[in-house]
Amino acid sequence: MSLFKARDWWSAVLGEGEEFDQGCLCVGDVDNSGSGCDKVVVGSYMGMLRIFAPHASKPAEQTVADAQLLEVQLRDPIIQVEVGKFVSCSELLHLAVLHPRKLSVYAVSGTAGNVEHGDQYQLRLVYEHNLQRTACNMTYGPFGGVTGHHFICIQSMDGMLMFFEQESYAFGRFLPGFLLPGPLCYCARTDSFITVSSTRQVECYRYETLAVATDADTRQDSEQQSKSSGKRLAAEWLLVLGEQALDIYVPSASPMASSIFVLGERNLFCLRDSGQIRFMKKLEYNPSCFLPYASVSEGTTNVLLGNHNNMLLVYQDTTLKWAAQLSCVPVAVRVANFLELKGLVVTLSSEGHLQCSYMGTDPSFFTAPKVEAREVNYDEVDAEMKALHKVIREATKNQDIIPKAEAEDDLTVTAIVSSSLDDVSQALIPEMNDMAVPSVKVKIKVSCRSALQSPKLSVCVQPPLAVTQDQFVLDSLGSGSQVVVAFSAFLNGHYTPADLTGDIAVSYSSPTELNPAGVPRVAQCKFVLPLRLVCCPTSASKNSKYKITVDTNKPPVNLNEVFPEFVAKAEDKEGNALAFQFIAGSRVTVLASKTSQRYRIQSESFEDIWLVAKELVQRFDRHFAKLGVKDFRNSFSGPIPLAEYFETVDHHFELRVNAQKYQDLLSERAVQFRAIQRRLLTRFKDKTPAPLQNLDTLMEGTYRQVIALADAAEENRACLVQAFSRLRSATHLLILLVSLWQGLSAEQTAILEATLLPLLQDTPQLGWEESVDAAVSHLLRTCLSRSPKDQAISLSTMQLSMPKDTSRLKKHITLLCDRIGKGGRLSLSSEANVPTPVMLPAACETMPEPIAEQEEEDPALQQEATAKFIKKKQPSKKVKSKTESSKEKKEKDSGKESKKDPTKEKESKKDSSKDSKESSKESSKESSKESKKEKKESSKEKESTAEPLKEKTKVSKKPSVKVKEKKKESEAGDG
């Protein structure tokens, strides 16, 4: 707002970590020196009382210690400090200090020093009053027109005004309709007190009215109140502000001027003594403090106003005269006179920054240095440019979204999972299905290299897993320190989790030179819970509904060696069979073949196979890695169990549809319930009673329906959470089988997992089905397209919504698996989108690809297909004349082809009609270019469909042979 800044004449920073507020600053000749110089008195909420005598000095000198006269640590927090004539037997100025439960009056005296250390100042307690109520603020003045002395009025937190006539307590009065305390000020001209109540209105009470009103001590006793002779307290005048007030001030410079200034949250009010508004100024910022003082021109008053933008504004009535920038937000402002300079502005911030400044500008003697003219060394510039280009190339090669971590982080988080279960389980549900629910202890070790501030540790596990404590607030860590916290994890739901991994995040602030408060950072860590936490060993079952076979290239191993913690109840000592009984699920059996290198995993639940299959593959890798085998490989011969997977998808989608139905029914019944309520209310309000016409019965029935629907919706929501967990398990199993089937790399497996598992939980706005459908469709249009020419250039921006059924999703997932089986490569870059041929296993079946249906559903694929048909169906004029003679020969072949693929004829007709419209819009130049291209394409068509007239017999045989070969291939594929 202003180009000027407040010129710093003297400043000091008071203490560390102390708080200051509006009443913690006052100025005055508190030591009664008689020199006319003010002293600055500051009190803090920490109980520290300081007195300063600022003086000008050179910038290089340290003057804070010289300017400080006194510093005393009091036992109680200091709410407000004031300087006045508070002692009856003396007209000297004394210091009044207000504590929450005590009022103390001190005498400040100075003794001239005989040595170079200067004067000595002492603080002596004159008297004090212990308060029965908690104080909020105070004001002082010559109450009742007394001369030569000042009385004190204290406002308590519960609305009582306590009056003290110096050393003695006078009386106390309760403010009517009090809720919260507001600012309080005394007006000597009218001998009245002005405050702002919680009803946001200015209230004025005369001292005479307060003196003769009912005593506050007898207010609680109704009998004494009735016998007392006091009057009921009433305000002299009221004025509605409409906003809360921050401060009230009555200038005492000119007794004739009748002005009361009230600082609101958004406005500055100036009132007359009678309560009428003199003027009002709307503020465009948040004010923090203000101080009215005498103006040079008659009939006006200047106002110093500080705001939260670090600005100090000077108003003359409603006109802005000056604006100066401060170094901090002021909470209190005063004007003081010192020896060197009169009328200095003293400001105090909430952090304790005390500053004496003045308005104006100082001349700047800064001159810009001359730029040295030097010749450019082009060889060095070229070398620097090459180095920068090399850095840019290396940076653009990496396409990772997540930035790489530093070599040595400030904070290191390590998770250690106990190898054995807890002796005493910490689970909230002690038993499930007649089996005890165990728990396992996890220790988190946090170590740091440098000092850190306010670290907080969060633990997250996937439901139905839970932990005993998921939030930890740690103390600030020093350099090289280490902290260890521990918690227990357990199963807390009646279904099997889809993931046994947990995440740990530690948020902290790392202080730097430029930012001492600290830069926010996060360190993460993962841990894996043992399989023993969710299942226990049991006897193997021979027959099961769902079976999966995993192949290896090494001789079979003993399962008891791979799963040593499950050997306790294993019946097969040879290690050919092992069974797992999930605590909240079914039984899963692992069978090892004695003759071949295969392992069968079977269970009555398809999704329960996931955790055991994952653990089996990981433990096989670790087992053969310990033996030094480098060429070990797991594989899956197929076929992919899509039918079983789609059952889980359909069950989840059915629950989502039911949830939507319950939501619609609930909204209908709620509308009906409110309509009945309105009609009943109308009947009850009617002066002439009318029959209810069974509205009460209808209302009760509707209420029961609403409650029943809410219970059913809640039950369906719980089932949906379980179904989504089972769907995640089945999807994880499908991803594992596809990766083993085609030997996908870790990067390709991560892309497939991000495609089929984009969500950690379902929401009403975005569900699993539409998210997966969009992701799979994107892969089919990009890296898994039939050819690089068919790739979609832009992403689809259509809004995702819940589908009507899952048929489209099933087709897309089937097509995804088929294209991966045919050698499609999953990649996010556009360079590696050409499919590479891969030899399929003998037992794997190729899936029929629904080309026509896919093109109808995907608009991008449909446009690409129509473009191909347009190119094929547009021969040139010369070609048309040559091909008319061979129409009779082609009719037989075209009849066979039309029977084989009727969909192509329909699409070609549509495309030809579209092309005719487009060709009419094109210019003559473009049509000439296209005619040349069409000539080349038509010549290719002649080679593929019809040879020259000399080879008529060959032309009639070739298409029939091709048709027969295609029919044989389709029959072999179906078989």
Side-chain angles (χ1 to χ4, degrees):
M1 184 184 226
S2 172
L3 298 175
F4 302 108
K5 291 185 179 180
R7 313 309 300 177
D8 190 0
W9 183 74
W10 179 87
S11 63
V13 179
L14 311 181
E16 294 181 0
E18 297 187 40
E19 282 189 64
F20 303 86
D21 206 350
Q22 185 176 359
C24 296
L25 173 68
C26 74
V27 294
D29 190 12
V30 68
D31 60 343
N32 300 283
S33 61
S35 60
C37 298
D38 294 331
K39 312 299 185 300
V40 180
V41 183
V42 181
S44 72
Y45 283 164
M46 302 303 173
M48 190 69 71
L49 180 66
R50 300 179 178 89
I51 301 177
F52 295 92
H55 55 85
S57 60
K58 296 180 181 178
E61 296 180 1
Q62 300 294 332
T63 60
V64 178
D66 297 340
Q68 185 167 350
L69 305 182
L70 188 66
E71 183 176 20
V72 180
Q73 174 67 55
L74 303 179
R75 291 184 299 175
D76 300 321
I78 299 174
I79 300 176
Q80 191 173 346
V81 289
E82 296 291 349
V83 175
K85 301 175 181 179
F86 302 129
V87 179
S88 60
C89 58
S90 174
E91 292 188 0
L92 299 178
L93 295 177
H94 289 75
L95 177 64
V97 180
L98 179 63
H99 301 288
R101 286 282 185 169
K102 186 170 58 176
L103 172 65
S104 302
V105 176
Y106 296 94
V108 179
S109 59
T111 305
N114 297 325
V115 291
E116 61 182 1
H117 296 295
D119 301 338
Q120 297 179 2
Y121 287 84
Q122 295 179 352
L123 187 70
R124 179 176 57 86
L125 178 64
V126 180
Y127 64 89
E128 64 180 8
H129 294 287
N130 292 319
L131 307 178
Q132 300 298 324
R133 302 176 184 276
T134 304
C136 176
N137 51 21
M138 70 174 177
T139 184
Y140 71 97
F143 303 162
V146 67
T147 58
H149 298 289
H150 290 156
F151 296 160
I152 298 176
C153 175
I154 299 175
Q155 181 181 206
S156 66
M157 297 296 291
D158 57 352
M160 182 179 178
L161 297 182
M162 296 172 282
F163 294 89
F164 297 89
E165 295 181 357
Q166 296 174 349
E167 292 87 348
S168 61
Y169 170 72
F171 56 90
R173 299 291 183 265
F174 277 104
L175 295 177
F178 181 86
L179 181 61
L180 293 173
L184 180 66
C185 186
Y186 173 72
C187 180
R189 293 185 298 271
T190 58
D191 194 22
S192 58
F193 295 87
I194 297 99
T195 183
V196 178
S197 65
S198 56
T199 57
R200 298 183 176 181
Q201 60 184 4
V202 183
E203 300 177 356
C204 177
Y205 299 94
R206 294 183 64 85
Y207 180 73
E208 182 181 356
T209 306
L210 291 168
V212 299
T214 306
D215 193 357
D217 298 333
T218 62
R219 182 181 175 183
Q220 305 297 332
D221 193 347
S222 60
E223 296 181 359
Q224 294 182 7
Q225 184 177 358
S226 61
K227 295 178 182 178
S228 62
S229 60
K231 297 180 181 180
R232 185 176 181 183
L233 183 59
E236 185 74 16
W237 51 263
L238 300 173
L239 176 66
V240 178
L241 290 183
E243 60 180 309
Q244 190 58 42
L246 302 180
D247 198 3
I248 303 175
Y249 195 86
V250 178
S252 59
S254 57
M256 299 302 294
S258 58
S259 297
I260 301 172
F261 286 86
V262 182
L263 178 63
E265 295 176 338
R266 288 294 179 184
N267 298 279
L268 175 65
F269 301 91
C270 179
L271 313 179
R272 292 187 174 91
D273 291 341
S274 59
Q276 298 175 353
I277 295 181
R278 184 181 166 197
F279 63 82
M280 170 182 167
K281 173 66 177 177
K282 183 175 177 59
L283 307 178
E284 298 179 355
Y285 43 81
N286 294 326
S288 60
C289 61
F290 85 130
L291 177 70
Y293 65 98
S295 175
V296 178
S297 10
E298 295 182 0
T300 60
T301 305
N302 287 2
V303 179
L304 281 174
L305 203 152
N307 61 16
H308 286 274
N309 298 330
N310 296 4
M311 298 294 295
L312 185 64
L313 310 174
V314 182
Y315 287 93
Q316 187 175 19
D317 288 347
T318 59
T319 306
L320 179 63
K321 291 295 184 181
W322 197 272
Q325 183 79 34
L326 296 175
S327 59
C328 55
V329 178
V331 296
V333 58
R334 298 291 185 270
V335 176
N337 298 322
F338 301 107
L339 282 176
E340 293 86 353
L341 199 59
K342 306 293 183 182
L344 278 173
V345 179
V346 183
T347 56
L348 176 67
S349 70
S350 59
E351 292 84 10
H353 188 84
L354 182 63
Q355 182 179 5
C356 296
S357 56
Y358 58 90
M359 307 292 180
T361 57
D362 289 337
S364 177
F365 299 101
F366 173 76
T367 56
K370 294 182 180 180
V371 180
E372 296 181 2
R374 56 186 180 88
E375 296 181 359
V376 180
N377 190 342
Y378 290 99
D379 295 335
E380 293 180 0
V381 173
D382 291 339
E384 184 180 2
M385 181 65 73
K386 290 180 181 179
L388 292 176
H389 277 304
K390 184 178 180 181
V391 173
I392 294 173
R393 282 196 301 271
E394 291 178 355
T396 53
K397 283 181 182 178
N398 186 11
Q399 296 182 354
D400 294 339
I401 299 175
I402 303 175
K404 292 185 178 180
E406 298 179 359
E408 293 184 1
D409 294 332
D410 295 335
L411 190 73
T412 305
V413 186
T414 308
I416 304 172
V417 182
S418 177
S419 58
S420 59
L421 301 178
D422 295 341
D423 297 334
V424 179
S425 177
Q426 303 293 326
L428 299 179
I429 305 175
E431 289 187 1
M432 291 184 191
N433 300 328
D434 298 332
M435 288 183 287
V437 180
S439 64
V440 65
K441 192 173 184 179
V442 182
K443 290 184 179 180
I444 309 299
K445 186 184 296 183
V446 180
S447 55
C448 60
R449 295 188 302 109
S450 59
L452 304 177
Q453 297 176 358
S454 61
K456 297 178 182 178
L457 188 144
S458 302
V459 183
C460 177
V461 292
Q462 297 299 324
L465 295 174
V467 293
T468 53
Q469 185 177 354
D470 58 351
Q471 298 286 339
F472 297 89
V473 179
L474 309 178
D475 297 331
S476 297
L477 303 177
S479 178
S481 59
Q482 183 175 336
V483 178
V484 178
V485 297
F487 58 88
S488 294
F490 51 87
L491 188 66
N492 196 30
H494 293 274
Y495 57 98
T496 306
D499 197 355
L500 293 178
T501 60
D503 296 312
I504 299 170
V506 180
S507 61
Y508 60 95
S509 298
S510 179
T512 59
E513 295 180 358
L514 300 177
N515 190 358
V519 178
R521 293 185 179 179
V522 176
Q524 294 180 340
C525 175
K526 287 184 177 292
F527 62 92
V528 181
L529 298 174
L531 182 64
R532 185 70 177 81
L533 188 65
V534 294
C535 64
C536 59
T538 185
S539 58
S541 61
K542 296 181 179 180
N543 297 321
S544 297
K545 183 178 179 182
Y546 303 100
K547 301 177 182 179
I548 287 175
T549 303
V550 177
D551 299 337
T552 61
N553 59 348
K554 296 299 177 184
V557 298
N558 190 344
L559 295 178
N560 294 335
E561 297 178 0
V562 181
F563 294 92
E565 68 270 24
F566 292 92
V567 181
K569 295 184 179 180
E571 298 178 355
D572 188 5
K573 301 301 181 184
E574 297 179 0
N576 295 327
L578 195 62
F580 308 86
Q581 177 63 50
F582 282 96
I583 297 175
S586 60
R587 179 185 304 178
V588 181
T589 304
V590 180
L591 301 175
S593 176
K594 298 181 180 179
T595 57
S596 62
Q597 302 169 358
R598 295 186 173 186
Y599 301 86
R600 173 175 291 177
I601 309 172
Q602 57 188 16
S603 175
E604 293 295 330
S605 176
F606 177 71
E607 56 271 5
D608 286 346
I609 300 177
W610 151 242
L611 288 179
V612 177
K614 173 190 176 184
E615 197 75 17
L616 183 70
V617 172
Q618 291 179 350
R619 295 202 182 197
F620 277 170
D621 293 336
R622 291 197 295 266
H623 176 75
F624 286 101
K626 289 181 180 179
L627 298 178
V629 179
K630 297 182 179 180
D631 59 344
F632 173 74
R633 187 171 64 87
N634 294 300
S635 62
F636 177 70
S637 58
I640 301 297
L642 288 178
E644 294 84 352
Y645 176 66
F646 289 154
E647 291 178 4
T648 310
V649 174
D650 290 337
H651 177 61
H652 175 262
F653 183 75
E654 181 183 357
L655 290 176
R656 285 191 65 195
V657 172
N658 292 341
Q660 187 64 37
K661 290 180 180 178
Y662 284 133
Q663 186 70 23
D664 296 340
L665 287 174
L666 263 176
S667 61
E668 292 178 3
R669 293 298 181 270
V671 171
Q672 178 180 335
F673 187 74
R674 287 193 294 270
I676 298 171
Q677 280 183 324
R678 284 194 297 269
R679 290 197 176 187
L680 275 175
L681 187 61
T682 305
R683 295 287 177 89
F684 290 147
K685 285 184 176 180
D686 195 359
K687 295 180 180 179
T688 59
L692 297 179
Q693 297 178 351
N694 295 326
L695 282 176
D696 53 345
T697 307
L698 184 59
M699 181 178 179
E700 184 179 356
T702 307
Y703 174 75
R704 290 177 181 176
Q705 289 180 2
V706 170
I707 296 299
L709 284 173
D711 294 340
E714 187 66 21
E715 183 179 356
N716 185 81
R717 188 194 63 80
C719 295
L720 185 60
V721 172
Q722 298 185 15
F724 185 68
S725 178
R726 295 189 177 95
L727 177 61
R728 288 187 61 205
S729 300
T731 307
H732 276 299
L733 180 60
L734 179 69
I735 295 169
L736 176 65
L737 296 180
V738 171
S739 62
L740 294 179
W741 177 40
Q742 290 299 316
L744 301 180
S745 62
E747 182 182 358
Q748 292 179 333
T749 306
I751 296 174
L752 186 60
E753 184 174 354
T755 303
L756 298 180
L757 286 172
L759 303 175
L760 288 179
Q761 61 182 1
D762 265 334
T763 58
Q765 294 79 18
L766 185 64
W768 180 85
E769 284 79 7
E770 53 265 29
S771 304
V772 172
D773 191 16
V776 173
S777 301
H778 176 71
L779 288 183
L780 293 177
R781 288 195 297 266
T782 53
C783 61
L784 294 181
S785 58
R786 297 187 186 92
S787 63
K789 297 180 181 179
D790 299 336
Q791 292 178 9
I793 300 175
S794 60
L795 294 174
S796 176
T797 58
M798 296 178 61
Q799 186 176 2
L800 298 182
S801 59
M802 183 175 174
K804 296 181 179 179
D805 52 24
T806 58
S807 58
R808 174 189 172 96
L809 175 64
K810 293 177 184 178
K811 291 176 184 178
H812 286 178
I813 294 178
T814 305
L815 189 58
L816 174 73
C817 296
D818 187 25
R819 295 208 179 158
I820 293 176
K822 288 181 180 179
R825 181 180 175 186
L826 295 172
S827 175
L828 297 179
S829 61
S830 59
E831 298 175 357
N833 290 337
V834 180
T836 56
V838 177
M839 297 300 294
L840 298 179
C844 177
E845 299 179 0
T846 59
M847 303 174 189
E849 186 171 337
I851 300 175
E853 295 175 354
Q854 175 68 20
E855 289 174 351
E856 290 175 2
E857 292 171 348
D858 292 337
L861 298 177
Q862 186 177 359
Q863 292 176 2
E864 294 164 4
T866 54
K868 291 182 181 178
F869 282 120
I870 289 171
K871 292 180 180 179
K872 290 182 180 180
K873 288 293 180 177
Q874 282 188 348
S876 62
K877 295 180 179 179
K878 295 181 179 180
V879 176
K880 286 183 180 179
S881 62
K882 291 181 180 180
T883 55
E884 283 177 356
S885 62
S886 60
K887 283 185 180 179
E888 296 178 357
K889 298 292 181 180
K890 293 181 182 178
E891 285 177 358
K892 296 179 182 180
D893 300 334
S894 64
K896 293 179 182 179
E897 292 175 357
S898 63
K899 291 179 182 179
K900 181 180 178 183
D901 195 1
T903 58
K904 291 185 178 180
E905 292 181 0
K906 296 179 181 178
E907 292 176 354
S908 63
K909 291 178 181 179
K910 295 179 181 178
D911 299 330
S912 62
S913 63
K914 291 180 182 178
D915 186 73
S916 62
K917 295 179 181 179
E918 293 174 355
S919 61
S920 62
K921 297 179 181 178
E922 293 175 351
S923 62
S924 60
K925 293 182 180 180
E926 293 176 352
S927 62
S928 63
K929 292 180 181 179
E930 287 183 357
S931 62
K932 293 179 181 179
K933 294 181 181 179
E934 288 167 359
K935 288 179 182 179
K936 296 180 181 180
E937 291 174 357
S938 63
S939 62
K940 293 180 182 178
E941 286 184 357
K942 290 171 66 180
E943 293 176 1
S944 61
T945 57
E947 295 292 331
L949 295 174
K950 296 179 181 180
E951 299 176 356
K952 289 183 180 179
T953 56
K954 295 181 181 180
V955 171
S956 62
K957 290 179 182 179
K958 281 184 179 179
S960 62
V961 172
K962 290 182 179 180
V963 170
K964 289 179 182 179
E965 289 176 356
K966 290 182 179 179
K967 287 184 177 180
K968 288 180 181 180
E969 289 177 0
S970 63
E971 290 175 359
D974 297 334

